[in-house]
Amino acid sequence: MSTEDPRTESTAPRNEAAPQAIAAASRLGWPMVVRGILGVAFGIVTVFWPRDSSNPLQLSLPTDVVDHLAIGYLILFALALVFQAVRSPLNVRTAIFGQAVIAIPAIVFLFLADQPAELRAALSIWALLHGALEFWAYRQLRSQPMASDFLIASGVHVLLGIILVFGDGMEALSILGFTGAATLIAGVIFIIGGYSRLSKGRQLAKLGALPEQIDTPAEAADPTDAAPSGAADAADDANPSDAADTSNPADAAGEADRTADSGDPDDPDSDTPMTKEP
């Protein structure tokens, strides 16, 4: 019997924590799928842009065209990030909202960019900042299953930023191609990761083990914490009757002494008449 008790106590916390982690991860499923579809669509358009050597017009693009394509992608991407932040745990919402916020100055700089160097600077700074915030989100979500999706996306965006920083001779079409390749890779990862989270969430719901509340408040963490106070209240309720039965032991002892002494004729308090000897 002594060998069975430690096993039961050690396995119970793991079984209770797994559904909570899977439920929290499944809430990010649809936002990840939306982000993935957006990245794949932008990547397919930019990476597979027709480049025919016989047509010189297809070997280069005006900077303003690339600006408008990147601006459209960043606007939709920021909206998808807001959707993801709303469904994210509290400890990671700051990082996700930060990714949406840094898209705003990038959009402003892209509106002002009229040279490939300015376009490259705007996208490189955005990619580096986005990768750093994505890594922060990974650090906050690494306790969840499949958190490595955010780590891979962070590495892809940081690599894009480094390539753009050192790509001095890049034209607008090359900048667009590298940016589209990064979004395509990250988009595929997010689609697969989001679908996997949704699948695990559905399996958990079929088993009836899906928690209703993901962010558990601290005061409701352990229901056993309320047991001692309840037991103390019950003990306090039972004590008055017990105290009434056993209160004032000195009075009981005095009563017994008076009863024993009541038969002594020399006792002035005794009611027994005194008889004198002849």
Side-chain angles (χ1 to χ4, degrees), residues 23-192:
S26 64
R27 288 176 57 85
L28 298 176
W30 280 116
M32 292 180 66
V33 170
V34 172
R35 283 184 58 181
I37 293 175
L38 181 61
V40 169
F42 179 75
I44 291 176
V45 170
T46 56
V47 173
F48 298 100
W49 190 275
R51 295 174 174 85
D52 191 0
S53 59
S54 61
N55 188 359
L57 295 178
Q58 294 182 355
L59 296 179
S60 63
L61 279 178
T63 304
D64 56 349
V65 174
V66 179
D67 286 339
H68 293 156
L69 289 175
I71 289 170
Y73 168 73
L74 288 178
I75 291 174
L76 296 177
F77 188 65
L79 295 176
L81 287 170
V82 172
F83 175 49
Q84 178 181 348
V86 172
R87 296 180 61 87
S88 298
L90 294 176
N91 61 343
V92 78
R93 287 183 183 176
T94 302
I96 304 301
F97 276 124
Q99 294 176 9
V101 169
I102 63 172
I104 298 175
I107 293 171
V108 174
F109 290 144
L110 288 173
F111 270 117
L112 301 176
D114 54 0
Q115 298 294 329
E118 297 174 351
L119 171 65
R120 183 169 55 85
L123 290 178
S124 63
I125 295 174
W126 166 80
L128 291 173
L129 292 177
H130 180 82
L133 290 173
E134 198 83 83
F135 180 74
W136 183 16
Y138 159 74
R139 291 291 302 271
Q140 299 296 325
L141 296 173
R142 59 183 176 180
S143 61
Q144 293 185 2
M146 299 171 291
S148 59
D149 298 337
F150 295 92
L151 179 62
I152 298 173
S154 171
V156 169
H157 283 87
V158 170
L159 181 61
L160 170 64
I162 294 174
I163 292 174
L164 294 179
V165 166
F166 293 99
D168 295 333
M170 285 187 178
E171 297 294 332
L173 184 59
S174 300
I175 297 171
L176 183 65
F178 278 104
T179 305
T183 59
L184 179 62
I185 295 172
V188 171
I189 293 171
F190 274 113
I191 289 176
I192 296 174

